[in-house]
Amino acid sequence: MRTPTYMILLAAPLALAACDSAEDASQPAETMMADEMSNADSMPMSDDMPMMDNGEVGQSGSGEGSVTEIDEAEGKITIDHGPIPAVGWPAMTMAFAADEESLGKVSVGDRVTFEFRTTEGGGGELTAIAKQ
Ligand SMILES: [Cu+2]
């Protein structure tokens, strides 16, 4: 898929400190680096409600946890998951948007590994899930 986000997060402050557009970076790349930069500034690693104000959308992450609830009508799988540093999430129980394929792969109580994309409002959308 895409380049790991943390590489960009680490590179962005250095690139900016080295003074703007010395390189022939394309416009989309510059825009993306600016976005990642502002996210790094506001990354709430230890806030009590980190999912509410982390507005970065489309970041990829992976984690593991236990399925606590499956809502087929709403297309959601709730997972009690461990910390996911790649997106700045602590351990928590949350509902992920899930397509039919993901919904059919797991049951309540399963230990799972999963991959996801962040969505608006600090949510996540599963892109892969499998029983451990
Ligand atoms: Cu979470």
Side-chain angles (χ1 to χ4, degrees):
M1 274 179 70
R2 43 180 292 194
T3 315
T5 304
Y6 62 85
M7 297 294 286
I8 297 160
L9 279 172
L10 292 174
L14 295 174
L16 288 169
C19 212
D20 27 42
S21 49
E23 299 163 58
D24 56 342
S26 66
Q27 188 57 37
E30 285 184 343
T31 303
M32 190 171 166
M33 287 174 77
D35 287 344
E36 299 289 356
M37 176 77 176
S38 64
N39 185 54
D41 285 339
S42 62
M43 185 80 84
M45 291 303 286
S46 60
D47 282 6
D48 45 354
M49 299 199 68
M51 313 254 326
M52 297 305 287
D53 60 353
N54 186 345
E56 187 70 14
V57 168
Q59 285 184 290
S60 300
S62 61
E64 49 183 78
S66 308
V67 174
T68 62
E69 196 179 331
I70 294 176
D71 187 333
E72 303 210 19
E74 291 287 320
K76 290 192 184 322
I77 298 176
T78 303
I79 303 174
D80 180 356
H81 70 74
I84 307 176
V87 296
W89 290 359
M92 72 185 80
T93 301
M94 64 183 280
F96 287 86
D99 62 16
E100 224 166 290
E101 191 191 345
S102 292
L103 287 164
K105 279 185 180 168
V106 297
S107 309
V108 170
D110 285 347
R111 285 286 304 172
V112 295
T113 55
F114 58 95
E115 293 172 23
F116 63 96
R117 262 190 305 267
T118 55
T119 55
E120 243 169 281
E125 172 186 36
L126 292 173
T127 54
I129 188 166
K131 278 196 222 188
Q132 273 183 356

